Amino acid sequence: MDPSSRANQSLAPFRIRPLFRDADDSNAIRLTDRQREELVNLGTRLQVRPRTMIYLADAPAEFVFVVTEGVVKSYRELASGKPLVYAFLFSRDLFGLAEAGRYVNAARAITDVTLYRLPMTQLAALLKQDAELQYVFLTKVTHELRESQRRTILLNRPDAAGRLAMFLAWMADRTALGDQVVALPMTRSDIAAFLGLTLESVSRAARTLERRGLVAFEGRHAVRIVDEPRLAALVAAV
Amino acid sequence: MDPSSRANQSLAPFRIRPLFRDADDSNAIRLTDRQREELVNLGTRLQVRPRTMIYLADAPAEFVFVVTEGVVKSYRELASGKPLVYAFLFSRDLFGLAEAGRYVNAARAITDVTLYRLPMTQLAALLKQDAELQYVFLTKVTHELRESQRRTILLNRPDAAGRLAMFLAWMADRTALGDQVVALPMTRSDIAAFLGLTLESVSRAARTLERRGLVAFEGRHAVRIVDEPRLAALVAAV
DNA sequence: CGGACTATTGAGACTCCTCAACTAACGTGG
DNA sequence: CCACGTTAGTTGAGGAGTCTCAATAGTCCG
């Protein structure tokens, strides 16, 4: 695990985070000092408390955001009233997807969050002048697209336990507390809304993984990976 | 329906296609003549037959492709052997997503397809020089990301009939044969692999939609929208 | 025209969802 | 610091829907 990923840097370099534990970090993309300065000049640093709404769905999209520290969820309420979590966003993640000038989903802080807020029109102007900087953004968005495909694989699994296992393996790469303990800052409901399951199914799937001896939940917001090889096997058994 | 979307133009302008019937086309993005020329000079035009493999998953990713005419599927075989279709690609769609120099999925022609093949390294070099052109690509990839979120909504529906209805509404925007008849060039298996269902469930869902009087299948590769308001209502009832 | 592939239809098993009751944790205020 | 109320999570029973397995029908292509 990359220890620097938990450091609090001002506008930390946009780096392509490895998706799985064994992925290497060689194609990490970093900004030059000048580019970082350009962005810092453009943006505003914000600090928000847990549960703070960062923006609402369908609101005019004036800003793009970058997470510096903490966890954000991007979600939307469906017509049926059920919430759907599109993504959990961590350090260096970019968010604020818009369509026709409006946000397509809502964003809310899960933990204490530090983030940078970049005015969209000014950012667009800057990107059109600085092709190298824009290429970093293009790479970042392309990366999001790959992540989204992995999400598709997850949603195609019919078994709740397998989905949860994939989620835990995925979380293990971003919030390791050290020595195989993974932090789960979000609620079970958020996990359910991300996995396309009900709260009850997530709860039962968690018990199932425990009973099989793959993991051990330590309170509601942490899991210990007990048998990583077998967990990895379950994750791979799509 | 935009009639020009079915015209066979050489490297047709990358245009953001409206996702749903009532979406307006005002934010369409077009290339300047010079930009189009740059890309045409870089690329090679290819013509392939149905079922032609365009590239394999994990193969070295040397090219990016743009569909000019026809339908392509982007898919991957899961470990279980079940195929998963990530996307159906139509005129003006960009594909060839790579990670660490290799394609993350396979691409195969469904119909007769005309496409442009752009060498990735040369394209990257061009984009780093021409920020305006790159911005078109950035917009395009961002658009793909939004589509992918809509796909997530689809996969969260528990009911097979609702999923199929969403798929049909989605297809109606890209391959209208005129007068409420929608072409379905892909097989039922492809549709199943896209919707995260089995072939049998798709078949039954199709019968269900017919029985309710929403659509009428005309052979295997066309559907007539019989009751559009009620179909739209079903699509919206997520 | 024949063969292989694609699609439809049926019966039964399995799993998740719904509804409901109960338990645990959090945080707010006294 | 503790008590209490609210929110979050667990567990159970029953029902709905898809998946699996299997047999049949239809299509496309050589």
Side-chain angles (χ1 to χ4, degrees), chain A:
Chain A
M1 200 64 35
D2 180 3
S4 75
S5 71
R6 304 200 44 78
N8 186 350
Q9 302 162 283
S10 65
L11 197 62
F14 296 89
R15 194 174 53 82
I16 302 306
R17 197 192 305 100
L19 272 179
F20 287 100
R21 192 167 295 253
D22 52 2
D24 81 314
D25 206 11
S26 57
N27 58 351
I29 289 184
R30 294 174 186 282
L31 297 174
T32 64
D33 289 342
R34 196 181 53 73
Q35 289 172 339
R36 194 168 311 148
E37 195 186 325
E38 283 177 340
L39 287 176
V40 167
N41 288 340
L42 207 64
T44 309
R45 189 187 185 128
L46 298 177
Q47 197 113 19
V48 301
R49 310 240 45 213
R51 295 165 183 243
T52 308
M53 287 295 316
I54 299 169
Y55 57 77
L56 289 165
D58 300 319
E62 294 170 27
F63 302 101
V64 169
F65 299 85
V66 181
V67 179
T68 301
E69 186 68 27
V71 184
V72 173
K73 70 171 170 178
S74 145
Y75 70 102
R76 175 143 203 162
E77 304 269 336
L78 298 181
S80 62
K82 283 178 192 166
L84 175 59
V85 172
Y86 290 108
F88 294 110
L89 304 153
F90 300 85
S91 189
R92 293 193 198 83
D93 280 337
L94 197 67
F95 66 102
L97 187 64
E99 179 162 35
R102 294 182 177 274
Y103 291 117
V104 299
N105 46 43
R108 190 167 189 169
I110 287 180
T111 62
D112 275 301
V113 170
T114 311
L115 42 81
Y116 261 88
R117 194 181 70 181
L118 302 162
M120 214 172 265
T121 52
Q122 292 177 50
L123 177 63
L126 175 60
L127 294 183
K128 284 179 184 174
Q129 284 167 15
D130 188 338
E132 289 285 342
L133 177 62
Q134 187 186 165
Y135 200 76
V136 175
F137 276 80
L138 180 57
T139 304
K140 186 72 184 161
V141 176
T142 304
H143 176 72
E144 293 292 325
L145 205 50
R146 281 193 300 261
E147 280 248 329
S148 156
Q149 292 206 353
R150 288 216 167 78
R151 176 97 189 281
T152 300
I153 295 176
L154 189 155
L155 290 175
N156 264 283
R157 291 192 79 145
D159 59 323
R163 285 196 200 182
L164 183 58
M166 284 185 80
F167 177 71
L168 295 180
W170 182 80
M171 284 297 293
D173 282 329
R174 34 215 88 202
T175 60
L177 294 178
D179 199 36
Q180 307 289 31
V181 177
V182 178
L184 299 175
M186 66 290 293
T187 65
R188 291 282 186 280
S189 299
D190 284 336
I191 296 175
F194 182 74
L195 298 182
L197 298 169
T198 58
L199 168 63
E200 295 94 324
S201 289
V202 171
S203 186
R204 281 186 251 265
R207 287 277 296 132
T208 301
L209 294 182
E210 272 192 331
R211 233 182 301 112
R212 291 193 205 162
L214 303 182
V215 301
F217 285 84
E218 306 188 341
R220 285 172 173 176
H221 295 297
V223 206
R224 176 181 302 278
I225 311 283
V226 176
D227 190 340
E228 183 166 2
R230 286 209 301 146
L231 181 64
L234 177 57
V235 169
V238 186

Side-chain angles (χ1 to χ4, degrees), chain B residues 12-196:
Chain B
F14 296 88
R15 193 173 54 82
I16 302 307
R17 197 191 304 100
L19 272 180
F20 287 100
R21 192 167 294 252
D22 52 3
D24 82 313
D25 205 11
S26 57
N27 58 351
I29 289 184
R30 294 174 187 282
L31 296 174
T32 64
D33 289 341
R34 194 182 53 75
Q35 289 172 339
R36 194 168 312 147
E37 195 185 325
E38 283 176 339
L39 287 176
V40 167
N41 289 340
L42 207 63
T44 309
R45 187 185 186 132
L46 298 177
Q47 197 112 19
V48 302
R49 310 240 45 213
R51 294 165 184 245
T52 307
M53 287 295 315
I54 298 168
Y55 57 78
L56 290 165
D58 301 318
E62 294 169 28
F63 303 101
V64 169
F65 299 85
V66 181
V67 179
T68 301
E69 186 71 26
V71 185
V72 172
K73 69 172 170 177
S74 146
Y75 70 102
R76 175 142 202 163
E77 305 269 335
L78 298 181
S80 62
K82 285 177 191 165
L84 174 59
V85 173
Y86 289 109
F88 295 110
L89 304 153
F90 301 86
S91 189
R92 294 192 197 83
D93 280 336
L94 196 67
F95 67 100
L97 187 64
E99 179 164 34
R102 294 181 177 275
Y103 291 117
V104 299
N105 46 43
R108 190 167 189 169
I110 287 180
T111 62
D112 275 301
V113 171
T114 310
L115 42 81
Y116 262 87
R117 193 182 70 181
L118 301 163
M120 213 171 268
T121 53
Q122 292 177 50
L123 176 63
L126 176 61
L127 294 183
K128 284 179 184 173
Q129 283 167 16
D130 188 339
E132 289 285 343
L133 177 61
Q134 187 185 164
Y135 200 77
V136 175
F137 276 80
L138 180 58
T139 304
K140 186 73 184 163
V141 176
T142 304
H143 176 72
E144 294 291 326
L145 205 50
R146 281 193 299 263
E147 279 248 329
S148 155
Q149 293 206 351
R150 289 216 167 77
R151 176 97 190 282
T152 300
I153 295 175
L154 189 155
L155 291 175
N156 264 282
R157 291 191 80 143
D159 59 322
R163 284 196 200 182
L164 183 58
M166 284 185 81
F167 177 71
L168 295 180
W170 181 82
M171 283 297 293
D173 282 329
R174 34 215 86 202
T175 60
L177 295 177
D179 200 35
Q180 306 291 32
V181 177
V182 179
L184 299 175
M186 66 291 293
T187 66
R188 291 283 185 278
S189 298
D190 283 337
I191 296 174
F194 181 74
L195 298 182

